[in-house]
């Protein structure tokens, strides 16, 4: 909202330099966004709030400044040159829906010479960014930006009959607006109608047909009050936002309506107009002023200071409230009708604080009376998991939760996507059902910008319809690795990433978070190349997938290098109970190790072998580790060679060679029967 | 002529005496020659003498002689190793070559900044709460005292899923969810993703991060709000940062405030400053005393309890703190951008 310094001076005597005035406006929350010199005038662009329609006119801003500076507002008189006829003999106002139109005032001004406005008026309007049109339209804008009360002017000659009806539109009715647009009206929209048709959309915009033109001589001034919600719904539906609707939807002051009508009429007298006798003022259910009890104690309690009661009285009186002392330091405050925002005691506390100055309120430490233990360690675990991935050289990314549903379809995530009702664009019109498409896009982006390898992860929600009407958001972890790994030095070349880089990261996450019973099962899934994916399981329950990205998908993103990726359901994983930590004594006696290389049928995979090795019941066997896998022509067909190192230890003494030899014989014989191994 | 045993003892002491004075490898060899030399070594001569002894004498002298010999050998061996060790280590040719560095992945700057904020509040005894990103109109607006069809909603331009569900426009619904479950005292912060129907431009995106704080207890005042936020901003931006509180409007707080901090880019010295527009101030957070209607909506008696709340945009604040010109950088995920934050 633009505020002209010269215009403010019409309401209050001010002589501060503009910068000082800007400081005053900031102090009371009318935040100045810019100060511009405009000839002799200065224009302030101020931030106004949805609950303060009174500041949408210069009078309201003047009232605030006057209160702050302890000045009084000027009283202005609006003399009228009157016609012999009474207003009621010329027009007949009928409010058919007093809910939507609580008050309607009207005056007729005859014999107006429509033409360009005088310079003073043009200057005022131009200062606040309005384009002067003609003196009648300019007067209505001047009144609106003075008082914050929108008014509308009709060419009386164009209204059929003398009846003005404020009613809801009828099905099928249309109107051509002042902007020249034909609008279909709907039955819940309030209109101003003459005997036959709507002539204005109430509180939003006037009709072209009844508008002021060069040939207008007789003007009907409408100054009314409309229901804010009704105006907002109508304006939204029509996609129109006008100076009038902007003010009405915030709640205009019903008591400004008669004042604005008289002010406009008086100004039209300057252009030859003569005003009908007696303001027509239809106000079927006059609003009673609101009263609020205000306690000084409460002000001090909420603000944390000791304020003088005199300051409270002076400030609130300046703002137009009527304070009556109810008891010691307790008042009943009668709220002026222009302050729609003042409804509770807390609202008055804010008024006192604003004018006292937030900067003068002391600062204090918020007292702590108790400490609370965190409800769970979930957030710590998510951070721990990120640390493991940082350690493995993965960078963290954050992608939009939005997705292009067309594009995501090719991923066949198997989740019903949640679409937005009013998306910004088609590309952002649904919520993602997987983190992997975003990670793949990140890989493409970076490959196109000099990257030779991309190793990234994201922790974030995916969203989908679980059933009809039941939505679900789920915390997932996505990991992707492709291309060269960093770590090239003069001593060694960088290496191409591979499946086991990814798998190692997943295993380490589970290891360092204490999820012990980790296993993998081969799985077929549309994300991955056939036969090249595993289901990740903890305690035999699925928690995610990992594998080589399906080559058709990779090709659709123009990715040439193999892409390995994983997606883990963190809700599922973090719900599992991690192994409880327990300290193990440090061994006091040396251990020993033996290697065993053996052949098995190549239909066996390592995990199956591992499961058998874990089942071995051998004294002093502490651990084992695979260190080679080999398949080749030198081996009998259909066989694969594994080499495993076994570690032995006795907790209370050094092991004898013969004991270890016996253990190895036992291992060999057990594996011969369970895995049908052949020694190499 | 003294007995062999006495001679053994003599040479033992002689060796101990001489070996203590050895400083170079050359001397070790000399000592070895003197004691173990094939022809004239002291011990060699003793062994010659030993051969002439009778069987009884041989028994005790033999053991001692052998002990002394291995003692001398071991000692000289040790000494040799100690004195000659540097010569045996492979020499590196160029120590100025770079060392082996290890690449650590970079945390996303939003994560990083969010953690800094969390740390400050956790140190003041706050706990961290989270809530859903898909919300209902009730939690996102109504319970927070936004009447239906009120223009106040315009500043929170909303993405809707259907007539009942929307993407939360702020983290404030979590305030309601926590207050519904828990009785005061409450002392929490709420970080998270929020969504607005904003067309992307350098400072706006339809998704960004916020952190919200809430304190509810008996006797909480606006002065407490000021004190806590002043500490927080100083902890984040440094002891010397200037800040100001000015009145504002939010439906869920009353009185409401906005907090500006001094522009760290131009210090208010540049009328054309891209960051503060020349005002010298940068709006950083919104705050206020919890509105009594919000308390009523969660069955907390506003006559008994009071509270303060604040909300801050993590992206915007991080942009300001790190002087990042455009918000889109956060979600483009260009590694050349992200990896810089490894060094924060
Ligand atoms: Zn600046």
């Amino acid at each position: 909202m633009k505020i002209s310094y010269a215009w403010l001076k019409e309401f209050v005597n001010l002589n501060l330099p503009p910068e000082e005035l800007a400081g005053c406006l900031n102090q009371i929350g009318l935040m100045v966004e810019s100060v511009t010199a405009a000839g002799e005038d200065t224009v302030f662009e101020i931030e106004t709030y949805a609950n303060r329609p009174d500041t949408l006119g210069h009078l309201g801003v003047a009232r605030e400044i006057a209160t702050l500076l302890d000045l009084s507002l000027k009283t202005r008189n609006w003399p009228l040159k009157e016609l012999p006829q009474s207003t009621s003999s010329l027009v007949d106002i009928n409010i058919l829906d007093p809910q939507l139109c609580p008050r309607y005032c009207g005056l007729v001004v005859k014999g107006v010479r429509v033409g360009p406005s005088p310079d003073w008026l043009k200057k005022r309007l131009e200062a606040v960014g309005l384009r002067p049109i003609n003196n009648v339209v300019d007067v209505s804008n001047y009144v609106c930006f003075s008082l914050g009360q929108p008014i509308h002017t009709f060419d009386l000659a164009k209204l059929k009959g003398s009846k003005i009806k404020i009613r809801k539109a009828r099905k099928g009715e249309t109107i051509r607006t002042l902007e020249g647009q034909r609008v279909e009206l709907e039955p819940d929209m309030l209109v101003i109608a003459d005997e036959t048709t709507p002539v204005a959309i109430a509180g939003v915009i006037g009709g072209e047909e009844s508008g002021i033109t060069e040939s207008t001589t007789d003007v009907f001034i409408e100054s009314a009050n409309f229901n804010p919600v009704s105006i907002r719904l109508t304006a939204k539906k029509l996609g129109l936002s006008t100076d009038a609707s902007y003010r009405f939807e915030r709640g205009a002051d019903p008591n400004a309506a008669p004042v604005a009508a008289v002010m406009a009429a008086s100004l039209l007298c300057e252009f030859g107009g003569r005003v009908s006798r007696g303001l027509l003022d239809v106000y079927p259910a006059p609003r009673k002023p609101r009263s609020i009890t205000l306690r000084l104690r409460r002000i001090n309690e909420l603000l944390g200071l000791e304020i003088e009661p005199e300051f409270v009285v002076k400030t609130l009186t300046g703002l137009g409230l009527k304070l009556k002392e109810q008891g010691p330091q307790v008042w009943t405050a009668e709220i002026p009708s222009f302050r729609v925002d003042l409804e509770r005691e807390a609202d008055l506390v804010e008024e006192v604080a604003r004018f006292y100055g937030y900067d003068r309120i002391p600062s204090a430490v918020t007292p702590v009376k108790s400490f609370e233990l965190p409800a769970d360690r979930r957030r710590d675990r998510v951070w721990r998991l990120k640390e493991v991935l940082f350690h493995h050289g993965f960078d963290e990314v954050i992608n939009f939760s939005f997705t292009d549903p067309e594009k995501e379809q090719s991923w066949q995530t198997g989740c019903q996507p949640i679409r937005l009702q009013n998306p910004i664009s088609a590309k952002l019109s649904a919520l993602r059902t997987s983190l992997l498409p975003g990670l793949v896009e990140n890989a493409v982006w970076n490959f196109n910008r000099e990257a030779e390898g991309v190793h990234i992860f994201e922790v974030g929600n995916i969203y989908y319809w679980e059933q009809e009407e039941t939505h679900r958001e789920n915390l997932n972890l996505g990991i992707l690795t492709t291309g060269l790994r960093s770590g090239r030095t003069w001593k060694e070349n960088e290496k191409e990433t591979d499946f086991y880089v990814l798998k190692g990261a997943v295993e380490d996450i589970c290891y360092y978070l204490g999820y012990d019973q980790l296993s993998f099962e081969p799985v077929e899934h549309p994300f991955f190349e056939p036969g090249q994916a595993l289901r990740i399981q903890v305690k035999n329950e699925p928690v995610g997938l990992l594998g080589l990205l399906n080559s058709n998908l990779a090709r659709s993103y123009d990715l040439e290098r193999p892409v390995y990726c994983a997606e883990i359901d963190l809700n599922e994983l973090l719900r599992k109970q991690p192994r409880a930590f327990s300290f193990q004594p440090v061994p006091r006696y040396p251990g020993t190790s033996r290697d065993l290389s053996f052949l098995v049928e190549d239909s066996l995979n390592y995990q199956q072998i591992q499961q058998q090795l874990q089942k071995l019941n051998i004294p002093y066997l502490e651990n084992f580790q695979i260190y080679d896998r080999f398949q080749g022509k030198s081996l009998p067909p259909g066989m694969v060679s594994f080499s495993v190192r076994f570690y032995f230890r006795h907790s209370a003494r050094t092991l004898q060679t013969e004991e270890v030899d016996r253990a190895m014989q036992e291992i060999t014989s057990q594996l011969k029967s369970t895995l049908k191994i052949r020694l190499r | 002529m003294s007995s062999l045993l006495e001679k053994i003892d003599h040479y033992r002491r002689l060796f101990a005496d001489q070996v203590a004075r050895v400083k170079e490898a050359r001397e070790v060899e000399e000592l070895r020659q003197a004691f173990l030399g094939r022809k004239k070594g002291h011990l060699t001569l003793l062994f010659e003498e030993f051969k002439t002894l009778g069987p009884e004498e041989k028994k005790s002298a033999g053991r001692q002689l052998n002990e002394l010999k291995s003692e001398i050998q071991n000692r000289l061996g040790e000494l040799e190793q100690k004195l000659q060790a540097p010569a045996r280590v492979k020499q590196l040719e160029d120590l100025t070559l770079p060392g082996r560095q290890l690449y650590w992945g970079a945390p996303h700057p939003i994560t990083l900044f969010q953690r800094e904020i969390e740390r400050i509040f956790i140190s003041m005894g706050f706990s961290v709460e989270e809530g859903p990103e898909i919300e209902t109109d009730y939690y996102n607006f109504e319970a927070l005292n936004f009447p239906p069809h009120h223009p106040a909603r315009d500043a929170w331009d909303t993405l809707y899923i259907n007539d009942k569900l929307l993407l939360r426009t702020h983290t404030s619904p979590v305030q309601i969810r926590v207050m519904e479950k828990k009785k005061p005292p409450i002392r929490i912060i709420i970080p998270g993703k929020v969504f607005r129907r904003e067309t992307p431009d350098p400072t706006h995106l339809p998704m960004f991060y916020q952190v919200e704080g809430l304190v509810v207890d008996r006797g909480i005042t606006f002065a407490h709000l000021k004190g806590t936020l002043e500490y927080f901003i100083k902890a984040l931006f440094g002891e010397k940062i200037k800040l100001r509180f000015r009145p504002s409007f939010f439906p869920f707080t009353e009185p409401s405030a906005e907090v500006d901090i001094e522009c760290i880019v131009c210090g208010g010295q540049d009328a054309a400053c891209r960051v503060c527009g020349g005002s010298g101030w940068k709006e950083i957070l919104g705050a206020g005393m919890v509105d009594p209607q919000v308390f009523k909506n969660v069955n907390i008696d506003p006559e008994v309890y009071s509270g303060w709340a604040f909300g801050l945009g993590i992206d915007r604040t991080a942009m300001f703190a790190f002087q990042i010109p455009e918000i889109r950088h956060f979600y483009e995920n260009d590694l050349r951008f992200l990896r810089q934050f490894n060094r924060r």
Side-chain angles (χ1 to χ4, degrees):
Chain A
M1 164 93 186
K2 286 193 167 76
I3 292 292
S4 141
Y5 198 168
W7 201 333
L8 277 184
K9 287 181 183 169
E10 290 180 16
F11 295 99
V12 60
N13 278 321
L14 290 174
N15 47 15
L16 327 166
E19 303 74 50
E20 265 180 54
L21 183 59
C24 293
L25 290 165
N26 281 340
Q27 191 211 306
I28 52 179
L30 297 167
M31 175 65 179
V32 177
E33 277 158 359
S34 68
V35 182
T36 322
E40 283 163 26
D41 198 0
T42 305
V43 178
F44 303 88
E45 178 74 54
I46 64 165
E47 190 184 340
T48 57
Y49 302 107
N51 66 338
R52 291 294 307 277
D54 61 301
T55 59
L56 298 174
H58 283 75
L59 170 63
V61 175
R63 187 183 295 114
E64 297 261 312
I65 288 293
T67 303
L68 182 70
L69 301 177
D70 227 347
L71 302 169
S72 44
L73 289 173
K74 295 180 188 173
T75 29
R76 300 178 77 183
N77 290 316
W78 300 106
L80 298 176
K81 291 176 188 152
E82 289 191 316
L83 288 166
Q85 296 110 306
S86 69
T87 313
S88 54
S89 69
L90 297 168
V91 285
D92 175 14
I93 294 165
N94 297 273
I95 300 177
L96 302 184
D97 196 329
Q99 282 291 325
L100 301 191
C101 177
R103 189 172 198 174
Y104 195 102
C105 303
L107 276 174
V108 172
V109 186
K110 288 195 164 187
V112 180
R113 290 184 305 273
V114 177
S117 293
D119 281 351
W120 74 263
L121 181 51
K122 281 187 185 166
K123 251 195 251 166
R124 287 283 181 273
L125 299 186
E126 281 164 353
V128 299
L130 294 169
R131 191 168 53 88
I133 293 167
N134 62 48
N135 49 12
V136 178
V137 174
D138 293 352
V139 159
S140 55
N141 278 330
Y142 174 72
V143 169
C144 176
F145 282 79
S146 287
L147 306 181
Q149 165 68 21
I151 62 170
H152 186 66
T153 48
F154 295 93
D155 185 338
L156 187 65
K158 306 272 175 63
L159 300 179
K160 291 168 207 88
S162 64
K163 272 211 162 89
I164 305 283
K165 292 180 186 163
I166 299 95
R167 61 162 169 87
K168 282 188 176 164
R170 298 187 185 120
K171 217 174 155 63
E173 280 184 328
T174 64
I175 186 170
R176 183 182 290 277
T177 69
L178 278 170
E179 289 172 347
Q181 191 191 359
R182 166 104 9 225
V183 164
E184 310 254 338
L185 298 168
E186 288 177 31
D188 54 356
M189 295 176 177
L190 192 71
V191 296
I192 315 300
D194 63 11
E195 302 273 358
T196 56
T197 53
V199 292
I201 305 169
V204 181
I205 195 163
E208 191 181 53
E209 243 164 278
S210 59
I212 305 296
T213 63
E214 299 296 312
S215 57
T216 302
T217 56
D218 298 348
V219 175
F220 171 62
I221 300 171
E222 163 198 292
S223 180
N225 187 270
F226 299 110
N227 177 295
V229 173
S230 155
I231 297 294
R232 181 172 165 86
L233 291 176
T234 301
K236 278 221 144 177
K237 244 183 213 167
L238 298 176
L240 282 168
S241 177
T242 60
D243 288 330
S245 70
Y246 190 82
R247 284 163 178 74
F248 282 126
E249 66 185 21
R250 280 160 176 71
D253 172 14
N255 294 334
V259 183
V262 171
M263 179 175 168
S266 170
L267 288 162
L268 289 183
C269 292
E270 310 278 318
F271 315 118
R274 299 210 150 219
V275 184
S276 57
R277 272 174 203 281
L279 174 78
L280 262 188
D281 181 359
V282 186
Y283 194 11
R287 210 175 285 165
K288 284 202 187 75
R290 224 185 348 258
S291 281
I292 303 172
T293 300
L294 175 64
R295 298 160 292 176
L296 185 70
R297 174 179 65 79
R298 189 66 180 158
I299 299 175
N300 291 335
E301 268 174 12
L302 277 179
L303 300 182
L305 45 72
E306 296 290 326
I307 214 160
E308 295 296 320
E310 294 75 23
F311 180 83
V312 175
V313 174
K314 186 192 82 173
T315 301
L316 296 182
T317 308
L319 292 174
L321 282 74
K322 292 191 188 116
L323 261 57
K324 240 195 308 189
E325 194 140 6
Q326 209 184 76
Q329 301 183 330
V330 178
W331 301 274
T332 308
E334 190 185 302
I335 309 303
S337 55
F338 51 81
R339 288 302 299 270
V340 292
D341 60 316
L342 303 181
E343 295 183 299
R344 297 90 34 96
E345 193 180 30
D347 301 324
L348 302 185
V349 173
E350 180 176 72
E351 293 309 284
V352 173
R354 275 200 309 135
F355 287 89
Y356 184 78
Y358 282 11
D359 282 338
R360 286 172 64 205
I361 297 175
S363 299
V365 173
T366 305
V368 195
K369 290 167 197 158
S370 61
F371 288 119
E372 234 178 291
L373 292 169
D376 62 45
R377 306 224 12 238
R378 187 184 149 101
R379 289 179 55 82
D380 295 343
R381 293 208 175 101
V382 170
W383 178 250
R384 179 79 174 143
L385 162 170
K386 289 184 181 183
E387 281 183 325
V388 171
L389 287 165
F390 295 145
H391 204 130
H392 277 248
F394 287 88
D395 298 308
E396 187 186 15
V397 300
I398 299 178
N399 283 298
F400 276 158
S401 294
F402 308 107
T403 186
D404 179 348
E406 300 297 314
K407 218 165 176 192
E408 215 193 56
Q409 218 168 23
S410 62
W411 281 78
Q412 302 175 57
T413 64
C415 294
Q416 183 69 34
I418 296 174
R419 285 172 188 264
L420 299 177
Q421 211 172 46
N422 56 340
I424 293 149
S425 68
K427 283 191 173 166
L428 305 173
S429 63
L431 297 176
R432 62 184 179 188
T433 58
S434 164
L435 300 183
L436 297 188
L439 294 178
V440 168
E441 303 251 11
N442 298 150
V444 173
W445 172 281
N446 283 291
F447 277 140
N448 288 339
R449 285 164 183 79
E450 300 170 353
E452 290 191 279
V454 179
H455 317 282
I456 50 176
F457 74 93
E458 177 171 9
V459 173
N461 279 336
I462 60 160
Y463 316 79
Y464 54 90
W465 293 112
E466 204 162 38
Q467 292 154 25
E468 195 136 342
E469 304 268 295
T470 316
H471 70 279
R472 166 104 193 228
E473 51 182 87
N474 197 78
L475 192 69
N476 274 22
L477 162 66
I479 317 176
L480 175 146
T481 178
T482 178
L484 298 181
R485 304 184 68 195
S486 60
R488 177 190 183 144
T489 68
W490 56 276
K491 282 187 89 91
E492 60 197 346
N493 284 332
E494 65 244 272
K495 298 183 191 102
E496 192 83 26
T497 188
D498 61 35
F499 175 82
Y500 298 99
V501 166
L502 178 64
K503 195 180 180 201
V506 171
E507 286 166 343
D508 268 353
I509 287 169
C510 291
Y511 177 79
Y512 287 105
L513 262 65
Y515 297 116
D516 265 352
Q517 295 172 47
L518 174 66
S519 61
F520 298 90
E521 283 300 325
V523 71
E524 298 299 325
H525 189 277
F527 289 178
F528 302 106
E529 195 62 11
Q532 296 296 296
L534 295 176
R535 192 193 301 121
I536 308 164
Q537 301 178 144
V538 171
K539 298 186 179 170
N540 285 321
E541 285 167 357
V543 296
L545 299 166
L546 87 164
L548 171 64
L549 182 68
N550 183 288
S551 50
N552 290 329
L553 274 175
R555 232 174 328 216
S556 72
Y557 286 90
D558 288 329
L559 282 166
E560 284 154 17
R561 299 177 196 252
V563 176
Y564 303 94
C565 43
E567 187 157 25
I568 296 177
D569 178 338
L570 289 186
N571 278 359
E572 201 57 50
L573 180 68
L574 299 176
R575 210 186 1 241
K576 307 252 185 275
Q577 187 63 38
R579 155 182 48 79
F581 175 77
S582 70
F583 165 76
Q584 301 296 321
V586 177
R588 297 177 59 191
Y589 292 90
T592 182
S593 68
R594 293 290 170 87
D595 294 347
L596 183 69
S597 291
F598 56 86
L599 299 174
V600 287
E601 281 181 28
D602 62 7
S603 58
L604 283 175
N605 63 29
Y606 172 68
Q607 188 164 288
Q608 291 163 323
I609 293 166
Q610 185 191 24
Q611 279 163 2
Q612 290 307 324
L613 294 175
Q614 278 162 345
K615 281 187 199 151
L616 286 172
N617 184 14
I618 304 289
Y620 325 130
L621 176 59
E622 188 178 51
N623 206 350
F624 63 85
Q625 194 178 23
I626 176 170
Y627 68 93
D628 190 37
R629 181 191 185 275
F630 174 70
Q631 204 166 5
K633 284 197 185 128
S634 59
L635 299 183
M639 299 301 275
V640 56
S641 154
F642 282 95
S643 299
V644 178
R645 180 161 296 170
F646 293 90
Y647 297 89
F648 301 89
R649 189 192 302 278
H650 194 290
S651 61
R653 60 177 170 81
T654 305
L655 280 173
Q656 314 264 309
T657 311
E658 306 78 57
E659 290 175 302
V660 181
D661 290 345
R662 239 177 289 128
M664 284 305 291
Q665 278 163 19
E666 183 58 31
I667 288 174
T668 311
S669 90
Q670 287 190 20
L671 292 182
K672 274 182 177 161
S673 76
T674 53
L675 292 171
K676 309 274 181 285
I677 65 161
R678 275 199 252 156
L679 295 185
R680 286 191 72 185
Chain B
M1 181 82 202
S2 49
S3 74
L4 187 57
L5 287 176
E6 281 165 345
K7 285 182 190 164
I8 291 171
D9 204 42
H10 165 74
Y11 285 118
R12 176 178 277 126
R13 268 182 273 121
L14 184 70
F15 178 76
D17 189 42
Q18 294 187 344
V19 84
R21 273 179 267 144
V22 167
K23 292 206 170 62
E24 287 173 50
R26 184 179 47 80
E27 294 170 307
V28 176
E29 197 45 45
E30 282 169 14
L31 217 53
R32 181 176 287 128
Q33 281 306 319
F35 281 84
L36 304 173
R38 210 181 297 177
K39 283 185 181 145
K40 292 186 180 157
H42 303 307
L43 254 69
T44 318
L45 295 175
L46 291 184
F47 273 105
E48 292 296 324
E49 193 179 332
F50 170 74
K51 286 178 193 160
T52 65
L53 295 180
E56 263 314 295
E57 285 162 308
K58 269 186 178 168
K59 226 179 190 175
S60 61
R63 213 188 66 233
Q64 289 214 23
L65 200 51
N66 276 319
E67 263 180 24
L68 179 59
K69 186 182 174 188
S70 64
E71 221 178 281
I72 292 174
Q73 277 173 333
N74 287 344
R75 186 76 187 100
L76 289 177
E78 269 171 34
L79 209 58
E80 196 168 49
Q81 209 152 43
K82 193 174 131 197
L83 292 172
Q84 285 184 347
R88 282 198 207 142
V89 167
K90 195 182 152 229
Q91 291 285 309
L92 298 177
E93 277 141 21
D94 185 354
L95 300 181
T96 65
L97 283 165
R100 289 179 190 242
Q101 294 165 353
L102 196 66
Y103 181 75
W104 273 61
H108 193 281
I110 297 281
T111 305
L112 204 74
F113 208 63
Q114 181 181 320
R115 278 181 66 82
E116 279 187 34
I117 293 168
E118 285 176 14
R119 248 199 306 270
I120 296 167
F121 280 96
I122 288 168
S123 77
M124 290 190 277
F126 283 67
S127 51
V128 183
E129 292 278 350
E130 289 172 329
E133 290 167 12
I134 296 176
E135 267 297 359
T136 59
D137 187 88
Y138 177 77
Y139 284 106
N140 197 72
F141 288 124
E142 259 191 83
L144 289 161
N145 197 31
F146 287 80
H149 309 300
H150 194 275
R153 290 175 174 228
D154 289 350
W156 285 260
D157 209 350
T158 311
L159 285 160
Y160 287 94
I161 289 167
N162 54 34
D163 297 342
K164 289 180 208 139
L165 297 173
L166 48 83
L167 295 180
R168 67 176 178 192
T169 57
H170 43 191
T171 42
S172 316
V174 187
Q175 287 188 16
I176 302 293
R177 290 184 178 276
V178 171
M179 288 192 286
E180 277 179 346
K181 277 190 314 216
K182 238 184 91 173
K183 289 297 128 196
I186 292 170
R187 201 178 172 90
I188 56 169
I189 56 162
I190 307 153
K193 246 180 211 178
V194 301
F195 305 87
R196 302 268 171 93
R197 196 174 185 285
E198 301 258 21
T199 311
D201 74 20
T203 51
H204 296 90
L205 281 182
M207 185 188 97
F208 54 96
Y209 280 76
Q210 266 193 348
V211 63
E212 186 119 352
L214 174 72
V215 168
V216 183
D217 204 345
R218 290 168 199 264
I220 296 296
T221 71
F222 195 89
H224 296 142
L225 167 67
K226 278 190 73 177
T228 310
L229 291 183
E230 280 166 7
Y231 171 78
F232 162 59
I233 287 169
K234 287 183 176 187
L236 202 58
F237 286 98
E239 183 73 44
K240 291 203 179 94
I241 194 91
K242 285 202 199 78
L243 64 162
R244 69 175 186 193
F245 286 74
R246 55 183 171 80
S248 189
F249 164 65
F250 304 104
F252 39 99
T253 51
E254 190 75 27
S256 299
E258 253 165 311
V259 182
D260 300 333
I261 60 173
E262 161 191 46
C263 178
I264 55 174
V265 177
C266 75
Q269 300 302 306
D270 177 6
C273 176
R274 183 176 45 74
V275 174
C276 68
S279 68
W281 294 99
K282 174 83 184 166
E283 181 185 318
I284 181 163
L285 56 81
M289 300 301 291
V290 179
D291 192 281
Q293 188 57 48
V294 172
F295 277 143
K296 282 182 193 157
N297 293 344
V298 293
N299 288 317
I300 290 178
D301 184 352
E303 280 293 308
V304 179
Y305 292 102
S306 55
W308 59 251
F310 79 88
L312 158 136
I314 295 177
D315 309 49
R316 299 270 200 108
T317 313
M319 279 170 77
F320 183 61
F322 303 144
Q323 297 184 34
I324 296 166
E326 293 192 23
I327 194 171
R328 66 182 166 83
H329 285 304
F330 289 125
Y331 306 104
E332 267 172 4
N333 299 308
D334 192 313
L335 296 177
R336 295 166 299 178
F337 172 77
L338 295 176
R339 290 185 168 179
Q340 295 179 37
F341 293 91
N342 236 344
R343 307 182 60 191
R344 244 304 272 191

